[in-house]
Amino acid sequence: MTAAANGRDALAGTVARVAADVPGVAFLRPGLADLFRSSVRTGPPAAGGRRQAAGVRVSRASGSGPWEVDVQIVVRRDHRALTVARAVRDAVTGALAAEAPGVQVTVTVANAV
């Protein structure tokens, strides 16, 4: 696994932990692969044993440009979606300030439960 991939995976893990801890977040929206993935692995784990967190996409337009983070959340019905989305954006931006200065965070509310 390359250094860039390790950095991206580390950022994605941090984003997932921080976003899930924000009050009003029910869970991060799983991707299609996560919905079909069996709880029992039938083959060896991917290199390093890690994969990008569900509901989090971390990318970089150029090798030296700022990180772009997209977080997809499902909120609890008893919370205001806009307030929760802003809280997630602020929490993620704050958590990544030292590791990824200039990070651009986008939060999408995918559903409410």
Side-chain angles (χ1 to χ4, degrees):
M1 190 174 269
T2 66
N6 282 334
R8 182 188 66 232
D9 290 346
L11 286 177
T14 300
V15 170
R17 283 189 301 279
V18 169
D21 288 342
V22 172
V25 174
F27 54 89
L28 300 179
R29 181 178 175 260
L32 186 60
D34 296 310
L35 293 174
F36 289 112
R37 182 171 282 122
S38 171
S39 61
V40 178
R41 288 212 108 117
T42 56
R50 299 201 270 180
R51 62 182 173 83
Q52 201 160 13
V56 176
R57 184 174 39 216
V58 178
S59 61
R60 195 176 237 179
S62 67
S64 62
W67 286 102
E68 298 171 1
V69 176
D70 179 38
V71 185
Q72 295 186 357
I73 61 172
V74 175
V75 299
R76 298 184 184 279
R77 286 196 192 274
D78 57 342
H79 287 75
R80 189 169 171 240
L82 179 60
T83 303
V84 174
R86 286 179 177 164
V88 169
R89 183 193 63 207
D90 294 344
V92 169
T93 302
L96 298 181
E99 295 176 60
V103 65
Q104 299 172 357
V105 180
T106 303
V107 179
T108 303
V109 176
N111 207 344
V113 294

